[in-house]
Amino acid sequence: MLMLPASVLARDDFAQKLTALNAGSFSGKESAIRELAATGHERAPAILKALLEGRLYCREDGTIVIVAEHEDGYQLTDAISGAGLGVVETSAVKRISLNNSLRSLLRESMARFDLESPDAAIRLAAVIELTGHLGPEAAALLRQRLPDEQDAGVRDAMEIAVALSDLTSVDSARVMQALAVLQGSLGTEIRGAIANVSENHPDAAVRKKAAQTLASIEGRIRFYGFVETLFFGLSMGSILVLIAIGLAITFGVMGVINMAHGELMMLGAYTTYAVQQIFPNHIELSLLIAVPAAFLVSGAAGVAIERGVIRFLYGRPLETLLATFGISLILQQLVRTLISAQNVAVVTPQWMSGSWQINDVLSLTCNRLYVFIFAMLVFAALVALLKRSRLGLEVRAVAQNRAMARAVGIRTGWVDALTFSLGSGIAGVAGVALSQLTNVGPNLGQGYIIDSFMVVVFGGVGNLWGTLVGGISLGVANKFLEPMAGAVVAKILVLVFIILFIQKRPRGLFPQKGRAVEAH
C-alpha cells in the first residue's frame, strides 16, 4: 500500500478547506473560514485578506485564485502557491460572495494573525480590531496572550479589552476588578458598558461602584473639554496677537490709525499662494519660503504707503483713518483685478495637517498648534528687536518724546518709515499664518481689523506686552463664551466688556509711560 508524504496530505487538506470557501451556503463558508484560520498555513492570512477585500475568485475549473485589476481583465494568482496564472477576461472567474457576518469573522481572523506579528503597532491594531468585535472567543484569545505581551501599550489595550469582556460576567468580584481597570478609560463604548452595569447589574454594590466609576470618567471628560476649549482660545488669541502687534507698533509710535492693516495682512496671505504656485513641487517648504517673502512684500507696501501718503498727514488722525481706509479699498480691488475676486486655494503642508490625538476625547489640531508657536516666536523676536537693537532704541525714543528725539539727532522721518514698514511686514507674516486657518480672498483683512484694534486698545496703545495679554485674554474669553451664548453674541459681549473697561481705564491694561505720552 502506497503511503503519501505528510506534506502532501497537509497540502491536500488545505486545498479542500480552501475549496470549501466557494460553498453555496454562508454557513459552509463560515466553517471554511474558521478551519482555514486554524490551519496556521503560511498562505492563510493572504487568502483571508483577499477574501475580505473582495479579490478572491473561483475559476471555471474550481481553482481558487486571487485577482488584481489589469487593463485586459484580471491578473490571476494561485491562492495556494502564489504562482502567477496569467491574465483572463473578467467573465472567466466568479467572485466568492460574503455577507456582513462573514466580514466580521474575517476581520477577527485577520486580527488573530496580526497578534503574532513582531511589530507592536500591528499587534495594537489587532487588539483594537478585536475589541471592536469583542466576543467570548476573542476575549479568551486576548486573555491567553496577555501574560506574554511585552509592549506596554499593547498590554494596556489587552487589559482594557479583557476588562470590557468581564463586565458581562455574573461574578461580582470579576466585574469589580474590571471596573477598577476601566476607571481610566474614556472610550464611548466603555462608558456605555459601564453605564449598563450601573443600571442593570443585580448586585447593588456593583451598581454603586459602576456609577462612581462613570462619574469619575465624566469628570475627566469635562476636564479635557476645558483643556480643549482653552487650547482653541489660546490659538485664537495668538492669531489676534500676531495680527495686532504690527498695528500696535505703528499706532503706538506714529499715532496712525491704519485701516489698511488688514489688507497688508491679505498681501501676506496672497504671497503664500504665489509661492506655492511658483514652487508647486515644494509644498512642504512653501511656508518657510513664504514667511520672509510675505514680510518683504507687505513691508515694501508699507513703505510705499508711508512715504506716499501717511507722512503728509502726521498729527491728523482722522485724515489718516480716511486715507488708509481708501488705500484698503484700492488694495482689495487691485487683488480682485490682478488675481481673482474668488477665494484662492492655499495648500496646507503635510507636517501641519491632521491632529495630535492625546486620548479618546482630546485632540489638538496641528495647524493651530504650529500657529500658536509661530506667533509666540514672532512676538519674542519683535521684543528682542525693540529692546536690543539701535532701531528699537530709536523707536522707543520717538514713541516717548518725538520732539526730544529729533533734538538729539534721531531722524524721526526715517524711524517712522522703518516702523511702518516693520509693522506692515509683521502683518504680512500674520497673513501667512492665517492662510493655513481660513479662506484667502480679497476680503480676508476685513474680518480681523476691528478685532486687532480692540486688542491694541484693550492692552494699551503701543505696549507689546499689553497686546500679548490683551489678545490672549480676548481669544480665551471669546471661546469660553461661544458655547453658552453663540459666536455672534460672544463677540458682542466681548465688545461691551471692552467698552466698559475703557471707560474705567482709557489707556488700557498697560498704558505707556513718559512725559510726552499726551503728545499722541
Side-chain angles (χ1 to χ4, degrees):
M1 180 177 178
L2 180 64
M3 299 294 293
L4 294 175
S7 59
V8 174
L9 293 175
R11 185 170 63 249
D12 291 344
D13 182 61
F14 184 77
Q16 291 176 0
K17 291 180 172 60
L18 179 61
T19 304
L21 288 176
N22 197 34
S25 66
F26 287 126
S27 60
K29 293 179 180 180
E30 179 179 350
S31 299
I33 291 172
R34 293 184 184 278
E35 291 176 0
L36 275 176
T39 62
H41 194 281
E42 61 180 6
R43 291 290 300 170
I47 292 171
L48 295 181
K49 182 179 180 181
L51 179 59
L52 179 61
E53 295 174 350
R55 296 187 296 109
L56 197 67
Y57 283 64
C58 182
R59 287 197 316 192
E60 293 178 354
D61 62 0
T63 302
I64 305 300
V65 295
I66 298 174
V67 307
E69 297 285 345
H70 191 275
E71 58 183 7
D72 296 326
Y74 286 142
Q75 173 72 51
L76 303 187
T77 300
D78 185 76
I80 296 179
S81 66
L85 299 177
V87 179
V88 300
E89 296 181 354
T90 57
S91 58
V93 290
K94 181 181 179 182
R95 186 170 65 181
I96 297 177
S97 59
L98 297 173
N99 59 16
N100 289 335
S101 176
L102 292 179
R103 291 187 183 92
S104 297
L105 176 60
L106 283 169
R107 282 192 289 268
E108 180 180 322
S109 299
M110 293 305 302
R112 289 171 182 266
F113 285 122
D114 289 342
L115 285 177
E116 305 288 342
S117 172
D119 189 337
I122 295 177
R123 297 200 304 275
L124 179 60
V127 174
I128 293 173
E129 177 66 33
L130 288 173
T131 303
H133 307 84
L134 195 60
E137 293 182 4
L141 175 64
L142 293 175
R143 197 187 306 275
Q144 178 185 351
R145 294 195 56 84
L146 180 57
D148 299 327
E149 180 57 54
Q150 300 299 316
D151 185 83
V154 179
R155 189 167 58 250
D156 289 344
M158 285 183 171
E159 289 176 351
I160 289 174
V162 170
L164 192 59
S165 173
D166 287 345
L167 287 182
T168 60
S169 172
V170 295
D171 185 350
S172 297
R174 176 176 288 188
V175 176
M176 285 286 200
Q177 186 177 1
L179 289 172
V181 173
L182 296 174
Q183 190 164 2
S185 304
L186 301 171
T188 303
E189 293 182 359
I190 294 174
R191 280 181 278 153
I194 295 175
N196 182 60
V197 172
S198 69
E199 295 172 0
N200 301 317
H201 199 278
D203 191 326
V206 172
R207 291 198 304 271
K208 182 179 179 181
K209 176 63 176 177
Q212 292 173 347
T213 303
L214 189 61
S216 175
I217 292 174
E218 295 294 345
R220 293 183 64 201
I221 291 174
R222 286 192 296 271
F223 170 74
Y224 287 123
F226 170 83
V227 172
E228 188 173 48
T229 303
L230 179 63
F231 168 73
F232 279 108
L234 291 173
S235 171
M236 180 180 179
S238 67
I239 294 168
L240 293 177
V241 170
L242 195 59
I243 296 168
I245 51 178
L247 188 64
I249 297 172
T250 55
F251 196 13
V253 174
M254 306 165 64
V256 173
I257 303 175
N258 181 17
M259 294 300 293
H261 187 77
E263 278 58 49
L264 294 169
M265 185 173 61
M266 174 195 70
L267 291 180
Y270 272 100
T271 301
T272 309
Y273 168 74
V275 167
Q276 292 189 347
Q277 298 304 304
I278 297 171
F279 304 103
N281 297 323
H282 298 84
I283 296 299
E284 299 304 312
L285 299 175
S286 61
L287 292 187
L288 302 180
I289 302 171
V291 169
F295 183 86
L296 293 175
V297 169
S298 295
V303 170
I305 293 171
E306 196 279 335
R307 291 287 89 185
V309 178
I310 300 298
R311 70 185 179 120
F312 302 108
L313 302 174
Y314 286 128
R316 292 179 283 178
L318 180 60
E319 293 182 26
T320 61
L321 185 151
L322 294 174
T324 54
F325 179 70
I327 292 171
S328 73
L329 297 179
I330 293 172
L331 290 175
Q332 288 181 43
Q333 191 57 46
L334 191 64
V335 168
R336 290 189 179 98
T337 303
L338 297 180
I339 301 178
S340 173
Q342 305 298 320
N343 293 338
V344 296
V346 175
V347 180
T348 300
Q350 186 65 35
W351 54 273
M352 283 190 69
S353 303
S355 60
W356 177 23
Q357 191 73 38
I358 297 176
N359 54 44
D360 291 329
V361 296
L362 178 61
S363 64
L364 308 180
T365 51
C366 292
N367 58 348
R368 291 187 175 274
L369 183 61
Y370 280 116
V371 167
F372 175 80
I373 296 172
F374 178 68
M376 295 302 103
L377 290 176
V378 171
F379 179 84
L382 184 59
V383 170
L385 176 68
L386 294 179
K387 293 290 185 182
R388 299 183 181 276
S389 69
R390 179 177 177 82
L391 173 62
L393 179 64
E394 294 180 350
V395 166
R396 285 183 285 129
V398 172
Q400 291 179 15
N401 193 322
R402 178 177 291 271
M404 183 61 71
R406 187 183 298 115
V408 297
I410 295 177
R411 299 167 58 189
T412 56
W414 180 81
V415 171
D416 287 338
L418 286 183
T419 301
F420 200 89
S421 175
L422 178 62
S424 301
I426 294 174
V429 170
V432 177
L434 274 177
S435 70
Q436 303 303 304
L437 301 176
T438 187
N439 295 324
V440 175
N443 298 320
L444 172 66
Q446 295 300 302
Y448 294 93
I449 185 65
I450 301 301
D451 288 339
S452 60
F453 271 108
M454 285 198 303
V455 170
V456 171
V457 173
F458 177 59
V461 175
N463 190 301
L464 290 183
W465 289 104
T467 302
L468 176 65
V469 175
I472 295 295
S473 299
L474 294 183
V476 171
N478 195 77
K479 283 301 178 183
F480 274 101
L481 286 172
E482 278 184 5
M484 298 179 288
V488 176
V489 176
K491 283 187 175 294
I492 294 174
L493 291 175
V494 170
L495 178 59
V496 170
F497 166 76
I498 291 177
I499 292 173
L500 296 176
F501 180 83
I502 295 302
Q503 295 295 317
K504 185 71 174 176
R505 298 191 61 171
R507 293 184 180 177
L509 284 172
F510 300 93
Q512 279 187 324
K513 297 179 181 179
R515 289 177 292 179
V517 172
E518 65 275 3
H520 293 305

Coordinates of all heavy atoms in Angstrom, one line a residue, residues 377-435:
L377 N 6.9 83.0 18.7 CA 8.3 83.2 18.3 C 8.4 84.6 17.6 O 9.4 85.3 17.8 CB 8.7 82.1 17.2 CG 8.9 80.7 17.8 CD1 9.2 79.7 16.7 CD2 10.0 80.7 18.8
V378 N 7.4 85.0 16.8 CA 7.4 86.3 16.2 C 7.4 87.4 17.3 O 8.1 88.4 17.2 CB 6.2 86.5 15.2 CG1 6.1 87.9 14.8 CG2 6.4 85.5 14.1
F379 N 6.5 87.2 18.3 CA 6.4 88.2 19.4 C 7.8 88.3 20.1 O 8.3 89.4 20.4 CB 5.3 87.7 20.4 CG 5.2 88.7 21.6 CD1 4.4 89.8 21.5 CD2 5.9 88.4 22.8 CE1 4.3 90.7 22.5 CE2 5.7 89.3 23.8 CZ 5.0 90.4 23.7
A380 N 8.4 87.2 20.4 CA 9.7 87.2 21.1 C 10.8 87.9 20.3 O 11.6 88.7 20.8 CB 10.1 85.8 21.4
A381 N 10.8 87.6 18.9 CA 11.7 88.2 18.1 C 11.5 89.7 18.0 O 12.5 90.5 18.0 CB 11.6 87.6 16.7
L382 N 10.3 90.2 18.0 CA 10.0 91.6 17.9 C 10.4 92.3 19.2 O 10.9 93.4 19.2 CB 8.5 91.8 17.6 CG 8.0 93.3 17.5 CD1 8.8 93.9 16.3 CD2 6.5 93.3 17.2
V383 N 10.1 91.7 20.4 CA 10.5 92.3 21.6 C 12.0 92.4 21.7 O 12.6 93.4 22.1 CB 10.0 91.4 22.8 CG1 10.6 91.8 24.1 CG2 8.5 91.5 22.9
A384 N 12.7 91.3 21.2 CA 14.2 91.4 21.3 C 14.7 92.5 20.3 O 15.7 93.2 20.7 CB 14.8 90.0 20.8
L385 N 14.1 92.7 19.2 CA 14.5 93.7 18.2 C 14.3 95.1 18.9 O 15.2 96.0 18.8 CB 13.7 93.6 17.0 CG 13.9 94.7 15.9 CD1 15.3 94.6 15.3 CD2 12.9 94.6 14.8
L386 N 13.2 95.3 19.5 CA 12.9 96.7 20.1 C 13.7 96.9 21.3 O 14.0 98.1 21.7 CB 11.4 96.8 20.4 CG 10.5 96.8 19.1 CD1 9.0 96.9 19.5 CD2 10.9 97.9 18.2
K387 N 14.1 95.9 22.0 CA 14.9 96.1 23.3 C 16.4 96.1 23.1 O 17.1 96.7 23.9 CB 14.5 94.9 24.3 CG 13.1 94.9 24.8 CD 12.8 96.1 25.7 CE 11.4 96.1 26.3 NZ 11.2 97.2 27.2
R388 N 16.9 95.4 22.0 CA 18.3 95.2 21.9 C 19.0 95.8 20.7 O 20.2 95.6 20.5 CB 18.6 93.7 22.0 CG 18.2 93.1 23.3 CD 18.5 91.6 23.4 NE 18.1 91.0 24.7 CZ 18.8 91.1 25.8 NH1 19.9 91.7 25.9 NH2 18.3 90.5 26.9
S389 N 18.2 96.4 19.8 CA 18.8 97.0 18.6 C 18.8 98.5 18.6 O 18.0 99.1 19.4 CB 18.1 96.4 17.4 OG 16.8 97.0 17.3
R390 N 19.6 99.1 17.8 CA 19.6 100.6 17.7 C 18.2 101.1 17.1 O 17.7 102.1 17.6 CB 20.7 101.0 16.7 CG 20.8 102.6 16.6 CD 21.9 103.0 15.7 NE 21.9 104.4 15.5 CZ 22.3 105.3 16.4 NH1 22.9 104.9 17.5 NH2 22.3 106.6 16.1
L391 N 17.7 100.3 16.2 CA 16.4 100.7 15.7 C 15.3 100.7 16.8 O 14.5 101.6 16.9 CB 15.9 99.8 14.6 CG 14.5 99.9 14.0 CD1 14.3 101.3 13.4 CD2 14.1 98.8 13.0
G392 N 15.4 99.7 17.6 CA 14.4 99.6 18.7 C 14.6 100.7 19.7 O 13.6 101.3 20.2
L393 N 15.9 101.1 20.0 CA 16.1 102.2 20.9 C 15.5 103.5 20.3 O 14.9 104.3 21.0 CB 17.6 102.4 21.1 CG 18.1 103.6 22.0 CD1 17.5 103.4 23.4 CD2 19.6 103.7 22.0
E394 N 15.7 103.7 19.0 CA 15.2 105.0 18.4 C 13.7 104.9 18.3 O 13.0 106.0 18.5 CB 15.8 105.1 17.0 CG 17.3 105.4 17.0 CD 17.9 105.6 15.7 OE1 17.2 105.3 14.7 OE2 19.1 106.0 15.6
V395 N 13.1 103.8 18.0 CA 11.6 103.7 18.0 C 11.1 104.0 19.4 O 10.1 104.8 19.5 CB 11.2 102.2 17.6 CG1 9.7 102.0 17.9 CG2 11.5 102.0 16.1
R396 N 11.7 103.5 20.4 CA 11.2 103.8 21.8 C 11.3 105.3 22.1 O 10.5 105.9 22.8 CB 11.9 102.9 22.8 CG 11.4 101.5 22.8 CD 12.0 100.6 23.8 NE 13.4 100.2 23.5 CZ 14.4 100.4 24.2 NH1 14.3 100.9 25.5 NH2 15.6 100.0 23.9
A397 N 12.4 105.9 21.7 CA 12.7 107.3 21.9 C 11.6 108.1 21.2 O 11.1 109.1 21.8 CB 14.1 107.7 21.5
V398 N 11.3 107.8 20.0 CA 10.3 108.6 19.2 C 9.0 108.4 19.8 O 8.2 109.3 19.9 CB 10.3 108.2 17.7 CG1 9.2 108.8 17.0 CG2 11.7 108.5 17.1
A399 N 8.7 107.2 20.3 CA 7.3 106.9 20.9 C 7.1 107.7 22.2 O 6.0 108.2 22.5 CB 7.2 105.4 21.2
Q400 N 8.2 107.9 23.0 CA 8.1 108.5 24.3 C 8.1 110.1 24.1 O 7.4 110.8 24.8 CB 9.2 108.1 25.2 CG 9.0 106.6 25.6 CD 10.2 106.1 26.5 OE1 10.9 107.0 27.1 NE2 10.3 104.8 26.7
N401 N 9.0 110.6 23.2 CA 9.1 112.0 23.1 C 9.7 112.4 21.7 O 10.9 112.4 21.5 CB 10.0 112.6 24.2 CG 9.8 114.1 24.3 OD1 9.7 114.8 23.3 ND2 9.8 114.7 25.5
R402 N 8.8 112.6 20.8 CA 9.2 112.8 19.4 C 10.1 114.0 19.3 O 11.1 114.0 18.6 CB 8.0 112.9 18.5 CG 8.3 113.2 17.0 CD 7.0 113.2 16.2 NE 6.5 111.8 16.1 CZ 6.8 111.0 15.2 NH1 7.6 111.3 14.2 NH2 6.2 109.8 15.2
A403 N 9.7 115.1 19.9 CA 10.4 116.4 19.8 C 11.8 116.2 20.3 O 12.8 116.7 19.7 CB 9.7 117.5 20.5
M404 N 12.0 115.6 21.5 CA 13.3 115.4 22.1 C 14.1 114.5 21.3 O 15.4 114.7 21.2 CB 13.1 114.9 23.5 CG 14.4 114.8 24.3 SD 15.3 116.3 24.5 CE 14.2 117.1 25.7
A405 N 13.5 113.4 20.7 CA 14.3 112.5 19.9 C 14.9 113.3 18.7 O 16.0 113.0 18.3 CB 13.4 111.4 19.4
R406 N 14.0 114.1 18.1 CA 14.5 114.9 16.9 C 15.6 115.9 17.4 O 16.6 116.1 16.6 CB 13.4 115.7 16.3 CG 13.7 116.4 15.0 CD 12.6 117.3 14.5 NE 11.4 116.4 14.1 CZ 10.3 116.5 14.8 NH1 10.1 117.3 15.8 NH2 9.3 115.7 14.4
A407 N 15.5 116.4 18.6 CA 16.5 117.4 19.1 C 17.9 116.7 19.3 O 18.9 117.4 19.1 CB 16.0 118.0 20.4
V408 N 17.9 115.4 19.6 CA 19.2 114.8 19.9 C 19.7 114.1 18.6 O 20.7 113.3 18.7 CB 19.1 113.7 21.0 CG1 18.7 114.4 22.3 CG2 18.1 112.6 20.6
G409 N 19.1 114.4 17.5 CA 19.7 113.9 16.2 C 19.1 112.7 15.6 O 19.5 112.2 14.6
I410 N 18.0 112.2 16.2 CA 17.3 111.0 15.6 C 16.5 111.4 14.4 O 15.7 112.4 14.5 CB 16.5 110.3 16.6 CG1 17.3 109.7 17.7 CG2 15.6 109.2 16.0 CD1 16.5 109.0 18.9
R411 N 16.7 110.8 13.3 CA 15.9 111.1 12.1 C 14.5 110.5 12.2 O 14.3 109.3 11.9 CB 16.6 110.6 10.8 CG 18.0 111.2 10.6 CD 18.8 110.4 9.6 NE 18.1 110.4 8.3 CZ 18.5 109.6 7.3 NH1 19.6 108.8 7.4 NH2 17.8 109.6 6.1
T412 N 13.6 111.3 12.8 CA 12.3 110.7 13.1 C 11.5 110.3 11.8 O 10.8 109.3 11.9 CB 11.5 111.8 13.8 OG1 11.4 113.0 13.1 CG2 12.1 112.1 15.2
G413 N 11.7 111.0 10.7 CA 11.1 110.6 9.5 C 11.5 109.2 9.0 O 10.7 108.3 8.6
W414 N 12.8 108.9 9.2 CA 13.4 107.6 8.8 C 12.9 106.6 9.8 O 12.5 105.5 9.3 CB 14.9 107.7 8.9 CG 15.6 106.5 8.6 CD1 15.9 106.0 7.3 CD2 16.2 105.5 9.5 NE1 16.6 104.8 7.4 CE2 16.8 104.5 8.7 CE3 16.3 105.5 10.9 CZ2 17.5 103.4 9.3 CZ3 16.9 104.4 11.5 CH2 17.5 103.4 10.7
V415 N 12.8 106.9 11.1 CA 12.3 106.0 12.0 C 10.8 105.7 11.8 O 10.4 104.5 11.8 CB 12.4 106.5 13.5 CG1 11.7 105.6 14.5 CG2 13.9 106.6 13.8
D416 N 10.0 106.7 11.4 CA 8.6 106.5 11.0 C 8.5 105.5 9.9 O 7.6 104.6 9.9 CB 7.9 107.8 10.7 CG 7.7 108.7 11.9 OD1 7.7 108.1 13.0 OD2 7.6 109.9 11.8
A417 N 9.3 105.7 8.8 CA 9.2 104.9 7.7 C 9.5 103.4 8.0 O 8.8 102.5 7.6 CB 10.1 105.4 6.6
L418 N 10.6 103.2 8.8 CA 11.0 101.9 9.1 C 10.0 101.2 10.1 O 9.8 100.0 10.0 CB 12.4 101.9 9.8 CG 13.6 102.1 8.8 CD1 14.9 102.0 9.6 CD2 13.6 101.0 7.7
T419 N 9.5 102.0 11.0 CA 8.5 101.5 11.9 C 7.2 101.0 11.2 O 6.7 99.9 11.4 CB 8.1 102.5 13.0 OG1 9.3 103.0 13.7 CG2 7.1 102.0 14.0
F420 N 6.8 101.9 10.2 CA 5.6 101.5 9.5 C 5.9 100.3 8.6 O 5.0 99.4 8.5 CB 5.1 102.7 8.6 CG 3.7 102.6 8.2 CD1 2.7 103.1 8.9 CD2 3.4 101.9 7.0 CE1 1.4 103.0 8.5 CE2 2.0 101.8 6.6 CZ 1.0 102.4 7.3
S421 N 7.1 100.2 8.1 CA 7.5 99.0 7.3 C 7.5 97.8 8.1 O 7.1 96.7 7.7 CB 8.8 99.3 6.6 OG 9.3 98.2 5.9
L422 N 8.1 97.9 9.4 CA 8.2 96.8 10.3 C 6.8 96.3 10.6 O 6.5 95.1 10.6 CB 8.9 97.2 11.5 CG 9.1 96.1 12.6 CD1 9.8 94.9 12.1 CD2 9.8 96.7 13.8
G423 N 5.9 97.2 11.0 CA 4.5 96.8 11.4 C 3.8 96.2 10.2 O 3.1 95.2 10.4
S424 N 4.0 96.7 9.0 CA 3.4 96.1 7.8 C 3.9 94.8 7.5 O 3.2 93.8 7.1 CB 3.6 97.1 6.6 OG 3.1 98.4 6.9
G425 N 5.3 94.6 7.6 CA 5.9 93.3 7.4 C 5.3 92.2 8.3 O 5.1 91.1 7.9
I426 N 5.1 92.6 9.6 CA 4.6 91.6 10.6 C 3.1 91.3 10.2 O 2.7 90.2 10.4 CB 4.7 92.2 12.0 CG1 6.1 92.3 12.4 CG2 3.9 91.3 13.0 CD1 6.4 93.0 13.7
A427 N 2.4 92.3 9.7 CA 1.0 92.0 9.2 C 1.1 91.0 8.1 O 0.2 90.1 8.0 CB 0.4 93.3 8.7
G428 N 2.1 91.1 7.2 CA 2.2 90.1 6.1 C 2.5 88.7 6.7 O 2.0 87.7 6.2
V429 N 3.4 88.6 7.7 CA 3.7 87.4 8.3 C 2.4 86.8 9.0 O 2.2 85.5 8.9 CB 4.8 87.6 9.4 CG1 4.9 86.3 10.2 CG2 6.1 87.9 8.7
A430 N 1.6 87.6 9.5 CA 0.3 87.2 10.1 C -0.6 86.6 9.0 O -1.3 85.6 9.2 CB -0.4 88.3 10.8
G431 N -0.5 87.2 7.8 CA -1.3 86.7 6.7 C -0.9 85.3 6.3 O -1.7 84.4 5.9
V432 N 0.5 85.0 6.4 CA 0.9 83.6 6.1 C 0.3 82.6 7.1 O -0.2 81.5 6.7 CB 2.5 83.6 6.2 CG1 3.0 82.1 6.0 CG2 3.1 84.5 5.2
A433 N 0.3 83.0 8.4 CA -0.3 82.1 9.3 C -1.8 81.9 9.1 O -2.3 80.8 9.2 CB -0.1 82.6 10.8
L434 N -2.5 83.0 8.8 CA -4.0 82.9 8.5 C -4.3 82.1 7.3 O -5.4 81.5 7.2 CB -4.5 84.3 8.4 CG -4.9 85.0 9.7 CD1 -5.4 86.4 9.4 CD2 -6.0 84.2 10.4
S435 N -3.4 82.1 6.3 CA -3.7 81.3 5.1 C -3.8 79.8 5.4 O -4.4 79.1 4.6 CB -2.5 81.5 4.1 OG -1.3 80.9 4.5

